[in-house]
Amino acid sequence: MYKFMKWFTIWLFVWMVFFSIVNKVKAGALNYKTYAVTTYAPNLEFPFYDNSTGYNTDGSNSSPNGLGTTVLSSGTISKPSGYYWGSGQVLDSGRSESVAVEITGYITWPGTTGQQTTVYFGVAADDGVFMNIDGTNVIEDWQQQGWGYWNATGSLTKTAGQQYEITVWVYEWGGGAALDINYCMTNS
């Protein structure tokens, strides 16, 4: 009986460590889907926007109108930053133009755990970009534009160490494509 308990305890410990590692990996992964853009981008309705009620945060219009109904590709990424596709394919969509990307998942808020921390975001995107964190529209820059530092900025205060839901939309109409979201804890 002792030998069985010893092996069972070792097995249980290994399983707990494995399960803990798997959960940490899942918590950091972001999901994405790519879509065909079927209308000239300024007519592509802004995410979380309704023409009759304006901006909303309840998710009732969580994707822009004007997208094709077919998902071109989907997968996971580790961060929504550092993508400079240029005239190349956007993620694995098979397209370099007329494409939109939806990124969803959870992020762990930086700072000293348990303390309220203001995070300042800077986004370089080509073309439009939109970012919603925990029901708050942080970046709203849904327009035709070239890449530049920083097309849009925003800030949000949350509790450090907590996980919050994030949705990022970016679209590419023509020319080069890029998405680079950076943050800092001081407004600089």
Side-chain angles (χ1 to χ4, degrees):
M1 181 68 171
Y2 175 76
K3 198 173 198 178
F4 171 77
M5 290 304 291
K6 179 180 172 184
W7 284 108
F8 178 77
T9 303
I10 292 170
W11 177 84
L12 184 60
F13 175 77
V14 170
W15 176 252
M16 288 172 51
V17 169
F18 174 78
F19 187 71
S20 172
I21 292 169
V22 168
N23 278 343
K24 287 179 183 175
V25 170
K26 286 182 180 178
L30 297 168
N31 300 310
Y32 72 86
K33 292 180 184 175
T34 62
Y35 300 86
V37 173
T38 60
T39 184
Y40 181 63
N43 297 324
L44 189 65
E45 188 175 278
F46 202 88
F48 290 87
Y49 185 83
D50 183 291
N51 287 327
S52 61
T53 60
Y55 294 106
N56 67 72
T57 58
D58 65 3
S60 60
N61 182 29
S62 59
S63 62
N65 290 333
L67 295 178
T69 57
T70 302
V71 174
L72 299 174
S73 64
S74 63
T76 59
I77 55 176
S78 60
K79 61 183 181 171
S81 183
Y83 295 101
Y84 303 99
W85 298 291
S87 59
Q89 176 177 246
V90 174
L91 291 173
D92 57 353
S93 66
R95 291 175 170 241
S96 60
E97 297 184 351
S98 302
V99 62
V101 179
E102 175 190 27
I103 301 169
T104 59
Y106 291 86
I107 59 170
T108 302
W109 207 252
T112 304
T113 300
Q115 293 186 5
Q116 292 291 297
T117 304
T118 300
V119 176
Y120 299 88
F121 295 93
V123 177
D126 184 353
D127 285 302
V129 65
F130 169 85
M131 183 170 66
N132 181 288
I133 298 175
D134 193 38
T136 300
N137 297 336
V138 180
I139 300 290
E140 300 173 2
D141 194 21
W142 201 245
Q143 63 179 332
Q144 298 287 98
Q145 61 191 341
W147 180 89
Y149 286 109
W150 296 102
N151 303 63
T153 59
S155 64
L156 185 62
T157 301
K158 290 290 185 187
T159 303
Q162 298 293 313
Q163 286 198 340
Y164 296 100
E165 187 173 6
I166 183 172
T167 300
V168 176
W169 279 95
V170 63
Y171 77 86
E172 167 56 25
W173 181 249
L179 174 63
D180 194 16
I181 300 174
N182 288 278
Y183 74 91
C184 65
M185 310 262 283
T186 60
N187 193 5
S188 58

